[in-house]
């Protein structure tokens, strides 16, 4: 039977640490601040943005939500970003994705000052991660690394398999595992035989977005299994990529969905905002 990696508990521990640090910063007259821009009325995005605002409040980070109508032009959005870039009390800027189709996502991400890019999507921050000199870590993969560290999982020398190669999850996930000396394989939709790779993995991270994709016959006995997927079953229940019933008896540790990686993503955004505030104020308190 696998030990459950409790993302809610670990996330609460990290948020308590962040709160202590934001209070220490406030004692120096510095309040960390995050601006979140949302364009349009996508209901899921609205929930994510509200949750981010609430999480900031709970750890003592100032937050501002800027809700723009669906028909906002790219130029108007870029102007908003320029204004936030110039404001001293805003340390982090995040544009909720996806954006409406008429707006170029890359142009928007590139407009945020790299020092305020708390999602770590800017070219400069992506490059820094590749070079092993990160300023901020992308939130979801960073959350996975925290789960591994705080569960005592050794990464160096281990076979690590990441399924999925998106810019947001799979690629940076692989970089972070490589950065800690894992031997990393990335699988994607063109991989000939995904199971032949996953069966060798000591640490398996699935970020595919398909319910029940990883099954027990794809697992090495004793593997650590991290499920990044967020999917819905036909009856509307939240589930990951991993078929928990067949995988859990073989794994040594496993993350549940919900309650595994999910709670960590916003926590790492809070951590990046705090880091941004410290860097911009030249303080290390
Ligand atoms: P994405 O951009 O759709 O990427 C999915 C990846 O899976 C792609 O690289 C794709 O390969 C690969 N893939 C698809 N079918 C495959 C197959 N049959 N075999 C092997 N690989 C396959 O998704 P994403 O943004 O990375 O997100 C992945 C999942 O994580 C989603 O469920 C998402 O909701 C979830 N997520 C969770 C969090 C969190 O906080 N927990 C955060 C972000 C995302 P190709 O590149 O070849 O197309």
């Amino acid at each position: 039977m696998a030990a459950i990696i409790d993302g809610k508990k670990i996330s609460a521990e990290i948020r308590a640490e962040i709160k202590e640090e934001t209070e220490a910063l406030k004692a120096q007259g510095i309040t960390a601040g995050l601006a979140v821009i949302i364009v349009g009325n996508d209901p899921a995005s609205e929930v994510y943005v509200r949750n981010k605002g609430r999480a900031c409040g709970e750890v003592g980070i100032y937050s501002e939500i800027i809700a723009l109508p669906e028909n906002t032009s790219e130029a108007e959005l870029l102007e908003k970003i320029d204004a936030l870039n110039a404001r001293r009390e805003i340390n982090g800027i995040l544009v909720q994705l996806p954006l409406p189709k008429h707006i170029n996502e890359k142009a928007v991400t590139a407009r945020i000052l790299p020092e305020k890019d708390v999602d770590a999507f800017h070219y400069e921050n992506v490059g820094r991660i590749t070079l092993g000199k990160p300023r901020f870590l992308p939130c979801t993969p960073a959350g996975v690394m925290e789960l591994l560290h705080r569960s005592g999982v050794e990464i160096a020398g281990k076979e690590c398999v990441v399924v999925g190669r998106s810019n947001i999850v799979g690629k940076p996930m692989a970089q972070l595992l490589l950065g800690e000396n894992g031997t990393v394989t990335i699988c994607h939709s063109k991989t000939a035989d995904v199971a032949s790779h996953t069966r060798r993995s000591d640490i398996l991270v699935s970020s595919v977005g398909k319910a029940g994709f990883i099954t027990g016959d794809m697992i090495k006995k004793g593997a650590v299994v991290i499920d990044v997927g967020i999917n819905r079953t036909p009856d509307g229940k939240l589930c990951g990529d991993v078929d928990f019933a067949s995988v859990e008896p073989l794994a040594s540790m496993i993350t549940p969905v919900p309650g595994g990686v999910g709670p960590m993503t916003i926590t790492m955004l809070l951590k990046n905002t705090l880091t941004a505030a410290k860097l911009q104020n030249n303080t290390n308190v």
Side-chain angles (χ1 to χ4, degrees):
M1 241 183 50
I4 303 295
I5 299 178
D6 186 343
K8 269 196 196 157
K9 182 166 166 277
I10 294 175
S11 171
E13 283 166 16
I14 300 172
R15 288 188 194 197
E17 292 164 14
I18 294 170
K19 190 169 184 206
E20 264 182 38
E21 291 198 55
T22 59
E23 279 163 8
L25 268 188
K26 276 185 191 161
Q28 292 192 9
I30 302 159
T31 299
L34 173 71
V36 181
I37 304 180
I38 176 168
V39 185
N41 303 95
D42 175 54
S45 294
E46 282 176 342
V47 172
Y48 290 139
V49 167
R50 257 202 312 277
N51 288 345
K52 284 167 187 170
R54 190 181 314 128
C56 281
E58 283 165 6
V59 298
I61 292 176
Y62 167 77
S63 71
E64 218 171 274
I65 294 173
I66 296 143
L68 302 173
E70 178 83 20
N71 62 359
T72 302
S73 69
E74 187 175 310
E76 284 166 334
L77 177 55
L78 294 178
E79 247 176 60
K80 282 275 175 218
I81 293 172
D82 289 344
L84 292 168
N85 278 339
R87 281 175 57 193
R88 203 161 186 276
E89 73 280 17
I90 297 295
N91 306 110
I93 303 170
L94 178 154
V95 178
Q96 185 66 40
L97 303 178
L99 286 166
K101 287 196 170 43
H102 64 274
I103 299 178
N104 178 343
E105 214 168 274
K106 285 204 173 76
V108 169
T109 312
R111 192 68 160 242
I112 297 171
L113 278 181
E115 311 76 284
K116 296 194 177 188
D117 167 42
V118 283
D119 251 341
F121 292 164
H122 190 284
Y123 298 111
E124 183 182 314
N125 287 320
V126 175
R128 279 173 163 268
I129 292 160
T130 308
L131 295 172
K133 302 266 178 226
R135 178 189 278 126
F136 307 117
L137 297 179
C139 299
T140 300
V144 172
M145 296 307 279
E146 285 281 2
L147 290 178
L148 294 173
H149 293 152
R150 290 179 189 239
S151 305
V153 177
E154 261 196 46
I155 297 165
K158 295 290 160 62
E159 290 288 339
C160 305
V161 174
V162 178
V163 191
R165 58 170 166 183
S166 71
N167 291 333
I168 296 174
V169 187
K171 275 186 213 159
M173 187 71 249
Q175 288 286 357
L176 297 189
L177 290 165
L178 180 64
E180 296 204 13
N181 300 315
T183 302
V184 182
T185 304
I186 306 176
C187 298
H188 46 77
S189 69
K190 306 291 185 293
T191 300
D193 182 359
V194 174
S196 69
H197 299 282
T198 59
R199 270 189 218 115
R200 287 188 294 101
S201 66
D202 302 308
I203 300 171
L204 171 60
V205 181
S206 182
S207 57
V208 175
K210 289 185 178 159
F213 184 81
I214 303 286
T215 46
D217 58 324
M218 298 168 79
I219 300 295
K220 174 177 170 181
K221 200 165 176 358
V224 174
V225 179
I226 306 288
D227 191 351
V228 179
I230 302 180
N231 314 298
R232 295 264 171 202
T233 59
D235 55 352
K237 275 200 195 137
L238 209 61
C239 69
D241 292 348
V242 174
D243 174 42
F244 198 86
S246 67
V247 171
E248 184 270 344
L250 295 162
S252 61
M253 292 187 199
I254 189 166
T255 58
V257 177
V261 177
M264 296 298 290
T265 299
I266 292 186
T267 300
M268 300 321 288
L269 171 69
L270 302 174
K271 193 167 177 176
N272 282 346
T273 305
L274 179 66
T275 303
K278 287 182 185 176
L279 288 172
Q280 287 159 39
N281 288 282
N282 289 316
T283 179
N284 209 8
V285 167

